[in-house]
Amino acid sequence: MEPDPATPPAGGTAASVPPPPPSSLIFLGTGCSGALPDTRCLIRPGTPPCHVCSMGLSLPPDQNPNYRLNTSLLIDYCHDDGTHKYILIDIGKTFREQVLRWFVHHKVPSVDSIILTHEHADAVLGLDEVWVVQPRNDRNDFEQIPIFLTQFTMDSVVRRFPYLVEQKPEDGDEDAQAAKIDWKIIEEDVDKPFAASGLEFVPLPVMHGEGYICLGFLFGRRARVAYLSDVSRFLPKTEHAISKSGAGQLDLLILEANALHGVGDAFSTHLTLSESLDAIKRIHPKRALLIGMRHFFEHQRENQMLAEWSISEGIPVQLAHDGLRVFIDL
């Protein structure tokens, strides 16, 4: 039997194993707007029933990589002095479940900043729960939380959540407290970066259906990470900013792949898997993780296929899953 690598051989010393980087990315959700399992597949099952969604009845979510909540990323950013700040990208319809499931699991105490990619329901409807994750000061009072968003998204938030903009609890909700929010307008421009909790972000405008701009973000001082959750078409300036042949190679590309088969048309609002893989070949990151999958994707099956693709193309690509934590030196 081979010795346990963690156990030093007799008369020897244990090999030095470097600790993981102090910063990390936590995938709170890797699914589509409707989340998975798709309730339609369970209340009106087909013949045969949907294999991926049926797993939602037979496996607990923490053992089921096909259980996917709304796409959302939590950045655990460790400053040089060892202080951790938690930066949330998107706060959608399934945010409360994400807090219960993954904040607890990963021991995340609060959120220090929020960044919104766009104003669709799967990106903003969890704003009603902001007060639950706001940090508190020594007097147990809420600290103000900055939320970064475009003016277009801000206009939508004002219509949907006037009580949040006015910073008072919603009428009739006796348990909720007034969230203290600092609304910060950002531009849809790769040349206009901003800082959230000490980490710089570069906006990456992309098309999310023709005529609709959604933002992705480039971040990281040491490792360069790009996050693009809702894409139908890349704009040339954005692709240049994240391409090996352009502004420099990414260490990690996080990109959506919404449909398993086919290619999009003029009315598409998302990338298909083949379109995502084509984009990965053009951008050529050191590594890529896919998010935003619908129920056509079976995690193990597709990852086996992607492992073969990765060997062929020389770029490691896999599906991410809810709860995944990637340690990275930001």
Side-chain angles (χ1 to χ4, degrees):
M1 179 183 294
E2 292 292 327
D4 185 336
T7 303
T13 59
S16 176
V17 178
S23 297
S24 63
L25 309 175
I26 301 173
F27 290 76
L28 299 179
T30 58
C32 55
S33 179
L36 295 182
D38 188 323
T39 53
R40 294 169 297 181
C41 293
L42 301 182
I43 64 175
R44 295 189 298 275
T47 306
C50 174
H51 173 65
V52 169
C53 292
S54 296
M55 289 184 187
L57 297 178
S58 59
L59 287 174
D62 59 349
Q63 298 177 27
N64 180 9
N66 293 303
Y67 191 99
R68 305 180 185 123
L69 301 176
N70 290 161
T71 299
S72 179
L73 185 73
L74 184 69
I75 303 167
D76 175 2
Y77 176 51
C78 183
H79 287 249
D80 293 337
D81 63 1
T83 302
H84 284 258
K85 294 294 183 180
Y86 297 95
I87 306 164
L88 178 67
I89 301 181
D90 283 343
I91 179 166
K93 297 179 286 185
T94 58
F95 180 65
R96 183 177 184 275
E97 183 175 356
Q98 290 165 333
V99 172
L100 292 172
R101 192 169 304 289
W102 301 122
F103 277 53
V104 173
H105 178 80
H106 291 296
K107 298 179 172 58
V108 176
S110 59
V111 170
D112 297 286
S113 301
I114 297 173
I115 305 172
L116 300 180
T117 59
H118 64 312
E119 47 80 53
H120 286 171
D122 57 341
V124 305
L125 283 195
L127 283 170
D128 189 58
E129 302 284 348
V130 165
W131 66 277
V132 175
V133 296
Q134 281 197 259
R136 293 175 181 269
N137 59 27
D138 294 337
R139 299 186 304 277
N140 203 35
D141 295 326
F142 280 142
E143 294 184 359
Q144 194 172 54
I145 185 169
I147 297 182
F148 299 84
L149 70 174
T150 65
Q151 186 62 58
F152 180 79
T153 298
M154 184 74 223
D155 293 342
S156 177
V157 168
V158 169
R159 293 191 298 271
R160 287 165 157 170
F161 301 102
Y163 56 94
L164 286 181
V165 178
E166 296 168 7
Q167 300 194 20
K168 65 180 183 180
E170 186 176 14
D171 291 342
D173 191 344
E174 297 177 355
D175 295 324
Q177 300 183 45
K180 294 182 179 178
I181 299 172
D182 182 13
W183 302 98
K184 293 184 174 292
I185 302 301
I186 58 176
E187 302 294 330
E188 301 168 344
D189 190 338
V190 297
D191 294 322
K192 295 185 178 179
F194 62 94
S197 296
L199 183 62
E200 184 176 89
F201 289 82
V202 175
L204 299 173
V206 293
M207 303 312 298
H208 181 23
E210 291 306 305
Y212 188 97
I213 291 179
C214 178
L215 291 184
F217 299 99
L218 171 66
F219 58 92
R221 294 179 300 160
R222 301 180 181 93
R224 299 177 76 239
V225 180
Y227 179 82
L228 294 154
S229 61
D230 294 86
V231 189
S232 60
R233 180 170 62 85
F234 284 89
L235 298 176
K237 199 171 182 179
T238 289
E239 187 161 327
H240 179 272
I242 61 176
S243 295
K244 182 178 180 180
S245 61
Q249 188 176 33
L250 295 172
D251 292 277
L252 175 62
L253 172 62
I254 303 168
L255 179 63
E256 79 147 350
N258 186 254
L260 182 58
H261 301 295
V263 294
D265 56 28
F267 302 100
S268 298
T269 56
H270 295 278
L271 295 177
T272 67
L273 177 60
S274 64
E275 292 171 325
S276 296
L277 294 177
D278 285 344
I280 289 168
K281 286 196 289 186
R282 295 196 310 271
I283 295 167
H284 209 283
K286 294 179 182 177
R287 179 188 180 192
L289 289 168
L290 299 178
I291 57 173
M293 293 80 66
R294 297 167 66 192
H295 62 169
F296 309 112
F297 291 79
E298 199 288 310
H299 187 83
Q300 303 297 344
R301 181 189 66 204
E302 266 56 77
N303 267 349
Q304 183 176 353
M305 179 276 293
L306 288 170
E308 297 171 0
W309 186 94
S310 299
I311 293 172
S312 173
E313 299 295 335
I315 308 172
V317 180
Q318 291 279 274
L319 303 184
H321 61 82
D322 289 23
L324 174 66
R325 187 170 201 166
V326 176
F327 288 92
I328 190 166
D329 191 8
L330 296 175

